Amino acid sequence: MYVRNHMLAKDKLTTVDVNESIGSALEKINKGDFLSLPVFEGSEFKGILMKEAIYRHYFETGCMDKAKFLDEVKVKDLYIDKYKSILDSELIENASYLLNEFRTPFLPVFDSNNNFVGILTHTAIFDAFSEIFGLGKGTRIMVNLFDIPGQIAKLTEVIRKENVNIMNLAVMDAKVLDVYKVVIRVDTEDVEELIDKIEKAGFKIAGIVK
């Protein structure tokens, strides 16, 4: 799953120019209910303007009246020009790490020719992982497994023999010595029968959500 499949494309974005007044930028931010906007100089991506930075600067200066502040202060005075970016060809997992590690509102996305092509937001990451985990689809079964080679293969073979489709599968550390949790989403109407087969194969069911 690649960044390009989940980013907001450049032509869909609300943006501001470095020479635009803070009043104009704030109007765009409030109209779209944004917390930040991409900043451009002509067609070149320059950085990120944060709503928080606008209000913080206004209250910290203190001596400037509101109308003058909105008209005379420019985007170039307040935007952040240091940012982390990502290539549209990178995996979505890499983007998730960067967004969390650097506490940025979004990641600018560039293509292999270093052209700005869009942004990747926290919401897009959440939607991507919801898709990976298949949230809202099928029946969610959580199984505790011992950290022994072949356990996952054995579990999936039990499900295969019941002619049940596995929609997705994820392995998580249970934070218990030598135990892992496997979350499986399956497409079946007879969940009870499948659970019975899994338990008879020696696995412990940790939870079921239909």
Side-chain angles (χ1 to χ4, degrees), residues 19-41:
N19 295 310
E20 197 169 335
S21 72
I22 283 299
S24 173
L26 191 57
E27 185 177 341
K28 290 180 180 179
I29 287 174
N30 290 333
K31 183 178 180 180
D33 196 25
F34 302 119
L35 294 177
S36 60
L37 286 177
V39 177
F40 282 80
E41 185 171 23

Side-chain angles (χ1 to χ4, degrees), residues 81-151:
D81 61 0
K82 293 181 175 57
Y83 55 84
K84 289 292 178 180
S85 63
I86 195 166
L87 292 174
D88 62 351
S89 58
E90 289 192 56
L91 295 174
I92 202 76
E93 293 93 324
N94 298 341
S96 176
Y97 167 77
L98 288 174
L99 279 172
N100 181 66
E101 182 71 13
F102 296 98
R103 307 296 182 183
T104 181
F106 61 79
L107 287 173
V109 182
F110 293 84
D111 64 18
S112 58
N113 295 316
N114 203 35
N115 297 311
F116 175 86
V117 292
I119 65 172
L120 193 71
T121 65
H122 289 265
T123 299
I125 292 289
F126 177 80
D127 290 343
F129 279 92
S130 294
E131 183 178 327
I132 291 172
F133 282 97
L135 297 182
K137 300 177 182 178
T139 299
R140 177 183 184 273
I141 303 173
M142 183 177 288
V143 184
N144 288 338
L145 295 184
F146 288 107
D147 187 13
I148 300 173
Q151 287 291 287

Side-chain angles (χ1 to χ4, degrees), residues 20-23 64 66-77:
E20 197 169 335
S21 72
I22 283 299
M64 187 180 294
K66 183 177 179 181
K68 186 176 181 181
F69 172 78
L70 294 176
D71 183 56
E72 295 186 2
V73 177
K74 305 299 181 184
V75 170
K76 63 184 176 184
D77 300 319

Side-chain angles (χ1 to χ4, degrees), residues 154-192:
K154 180 181 176 182
L155 175 62
T156 55
E157 179 63 13
V158 171
I159 297 172
R160 185 196 67 79
K161 285 182 178 179
E162 296 304 306
N163 200 31
V164 172
N165 180 44
I166 297 177
M167 303 173 73
N168 55 64
L169 182 151
V171 180
M172 299 180 292
D173 188 348
K175 307 302 182 184
V176 177
L177 186 63
D178 295 329
V179 174
Y180 285 84
K181 289 187 181 295
V182 175
V183 179
I184 304 175
R185 286 191 179 271
V186 295
D187 183 13
T188 180
E189 294 182 358
D190 196 350
V191 178
E192 288 75 15

